[in-house]
Amino acid sequence: MSIQRLAPVDFTTLENPGIQSVQIVWSKNAPEALVTITRVTMEPGSISARHSHPNSEQIWIVERGHATLLMDEDQTDDMQAGDVVRTPAGSIHCVNNTGHEPFVYLAVTTPPQDFTRAYRGRRSSN
């Protein structure tokens, strides 16, 4: 296995209304990687569907904005730039951008996961 260098031309953007998910490291550009790394941008008022990842945990590094994390059993928690959130495998979660600016976070998912099915649109950077 050799070192791999990726550039924005190698990334793919998955889209739903109000949400862009840039696949920085994923199975399509790094098939041997042990993680998926994604930058998610949510426009104000957008909300992701409540879901879980049965076999993968995620760590989110919040880069910008404010949002509400919605969890199982109607639990909620506020998130803001600088926060780090870990969702264990199987944890139900979704995000609601309750702020007035885009909410941006970097998601690290391990083991890796292909998120294509969760999004309606797809475009390559190249």
Side-chain angles (χ1 to χ4, degrees), residues 33-56:
L34 300 178
V35 300
T36 299
I37 300 177
T38 307
R39 174 167 285 112
V40 179
T41 301
M42 301 179 67
E43 294 303 320
S46 64
I47 186 167
S48 62
R50 205 174 275 254
H51 65 282
S52 69
H53 310 282
N55 301 311
S56 297

Side-chain angles (χ1 to χ4, degrees), residues 53-112:
H53 310 282
N55 301 311
S56 297
E57 77 171 13
Q58 288 187 315
I59 297 176
W60 302 341
I61 303 165
V62 181
E63 297 178 347
R64 179 178 168 202
H66 294 84
T68 300
L69 172 63
L70 307 171
M71 299 169 280
D72 200 12
E73 300 178 16
D74 295 324
Q75 295 179 357
T76 64
D77 198 6
D78 292 328
M79 298 183 292
Q80 64 183 0
D83 287 347
V84 176
V85 177
R86 178 180 165 266
T87 60
S91 298
I92 295 173
H93 59 279
C94 75
V95 177
N96 182 3
N97 183 353
T98 54
H100 300 291
E101 66 176 325
F103 181 70
V104 181
Y105 63 95
L106 191 67
V108 179
T109 306
T110 186

Side-chain angles (χ1 to χ4, degrees), residues 3-53:
I3 293 174
Q4 182 181 13
R5 182 180 176 275
L6 298 168
V9 70
D10 301 307
F11 306 164
T12 298
T13 301
L14 304 176
E15 298 176 313
N16 278 336
I19 303 172
Q20 287 191 337
S21 180
V22 178
Q23 306 305 293
I24 297 169
V25 175
W26 70 317
S27 60
K28 305 293 190 251
N29 67 6
E32 295 177 355
L34 300 178
V35 300
T36 299
I37 300 177
T38 307
R39 174 167 285 112
V40 179
T41 301
M42 301 179 67
E43 294 303 320
S46 64
I47 186 167
S48 62
R50 205 174 275 254
H51 65 282
S52 69
H53 310 282

